Amino acid sequence: YYGEKVAFYFAWLQHCSFHLLYLSFVGAIVFICQLSSGNWDHPLRPFFSIFVMIWSFVVMVTWRRRSNFLAYQWGTLDYQEEEIARPEFKGTEYRVCPITNTYVMYYPPWKRWLKMCVSIPLTVGFTIVTLLGILILYGNRDVMLAQYFATGHSYHISVSMDVIGQTAPILAVELNKEHLRDPDFWIIIIGFPTALGLILPLLNFCLRKVSLWLNELENHRTEAEYRTHFIIKVFAFRFVCYFAALYYYSFIGVGTTDPQATEHGIVRVASTLFTYITIA
């Protein structure tokens, strides 16, 4: 028995996995329509997006009902846990608590905010540098793919920040049968996200260690405060890592209403997503 938090975590996984069956069924139908029509920018995509929004709303509403049912069944409904100070918490003095009328350790908030003035820039800076590196990698991948077919199937690797946001390299390679059947096309398309996907766990491990050290430095009193500030530090980095491709090809790399450019963006985002959930 690992407690209510672990039980609710696995209950959420069960709930989410069950509802993903409906989403995967509808998504498979849209994917089949895309393949049969040969058009990645299929007219069903906007309707599928609306369905995803409705699906996410239904999942959250049904989970609220499911979690209340489990809380009532497990006897934890309206249960409030009284938190005590963490063993690692270090106070500067003892003060009388107005609620319990007992002496408790006290740590001035201004000292914690002073330390957070160090931890926040470090976390934001680490995330921005990682985002910049990811954008450089995607931009240079598109340039390398364009040069590969323009120079007679020869690899030319270059690293430059100027390629970020350029649409011309993306449109330079047509999505025809000749290119899609070329193994080197997929090596370049999938190779870069694979390398990135293998590096991201290492960066995530480093940020996790840094975040834990910063949390200890901030000296949070309760476990809930400690956990909340740790999640805030890690969430932004993980969001940038795993959603950078989607936002880059939606608003920066493609950023146009050209159907051909949209199809290029869909292929690159789909290949990156496939790489993240399989190889990397």
Side-chain angles (χ1 to χ4, degrees):
Y1 181 73
Y2 295 99
E4 297 84 0
K5 295 179 181 178
V6 177
F8 274 110
Y9 171 75
F10 283 98
W12 160 253
L13 290 182
Q14 180 191 36
H15 177 82
C16 189
S17 300
F18 175 77
H19 285 82
L20 280 173
L21 294 175
Y22 301 101
L23 187 62
S24 60
F25 177 75
V26 178
I29 295 177
V30 176
F31 182 65
I32 292 174
C33 293
Q34 289 176 321
L35 291 178
S36 60
S37 63
N39 181 17
W40 293 103
D41 191 15
H42 198 274
L44 287 177
R45 286 178 56 246
F47 298 99
F48 179 67
S49 301
I50 296 174
F51 175 79
V52 172
M53 289 188 292
I54 298 175
W55 173 86
S56 60
F57 174 77
V58 172
V59 168
M60 298 308 299
V61 171
T62 54
W63 167 246
R64 189 183 308 164
R65 183 176 61 183
R66 173 68 175 169
S67 61
N68 289 334
F69 170 77
L70 293 176
Y72 176 79
Q73 190 177 34
W74 295 341
T76 59
L77 190 64
D78 297 329
Y79 173 75
Q80 294 182 353
E81 183 179 0
E82 182 180 354
E83 289 193 303
I84 59 175
R86 298 170 53 247
E88 298 83 358
F89 174 71
K90 299 178 179 62
T92 57
E93 59 178 318
Y94 282 91
R95 289 189 178 183
V96 178
C97 177
I99 300 177
T100 60
N101 200 26
T102 58
Y103 281 96
V104 295
M105 284 192 297
Y106 175 78
Y107 188 75
W110 67 267
K111 288 188 175 182
R112 183 175 295 111
W113 278 106
L114 188 63
K115 295 178 179 179
M116 290 178 67
C117 291
V118 178
S119 61
I120 293 177
L122 281 177
T123 305
V124 174
F126 193 90
T127 304
I128 292 177
V129 170
T130 304
L131 174 62
L132 185 62
I134 293 175
L135 297 183
I136 292 175
L137 184 140
Y138 286 140
N140 285 275
R141 177 189 64 175
D142 298 329
V143 172
M144 179 180 177
L145 185 65
Q147 292 179 348
Y148 172 79
F149 288 102
T151 58
H153 296 229
S154 62
Y155 290 100
H156 178 71
I157 301 177
S158 62
V159 179
S160 174
M161 292 182 57
D162 298 333
V163 300
I164 298 177
Q166 292 186 7
T167 308
I170 300 177
L171 299 177
V173 182
E174 297 182 3
L175 297 178
N176 51 36
K177 292 183 179 180
E178 178 184 356
H179 292 163
L180 294 177
R181 291 176 180 176
D182 190 341
D184 292 328
F185 174 86
W186 294 108
I187 290 176
I188 298 174
I189 287 291
I190 298 180
F192 280 78
T194 301
L196 180 62
L198 296 176
I199 296 174
L200 288 181
L202 177 61
L203 296 177
N204 188 32
F205 174 79
C206 294
L207 180 64
R208 181 182 176 87
K209 290 295 184 181
V210 173
S211 299
L212 290 174
W213 175 73
L214 292 175
N215 259 21
E216 294 294 341
L217 184 67
E218 294 169 3
N219 193 28
H220 297 286
R221 183 177 183 274
T222 63
E223 190 66 31
E225 294 175 355
Y226 182 88
R227 203 164 44 240
T228 299
H229 285 81
F230 176 73
I231 292 174
I232 293 174
K233 292 181 178 66
V234 176
F235 174 78
F237 174 77
R238 293 187 177 180
F239 180 84
V240 165
C241 290
Y242 297 108
F243 289 93
L246 174 61
Y247 287 96
Y248 176 72
Y249 288 109
S250 297
F251 303 104
I252 303 177
V254 176
T256 178
T257 57
D258 184 6
Q260 184 180 1
T262 303
E263 290 188 0
H264 280 275
I266 293 174
V267 170
R268 283 162 171 76
V269 172
S271 61
T272 303
L273 178 61
F274 174 79
T275 304
Y276 282 171
I277 64 178
T278 54
I279 303 174

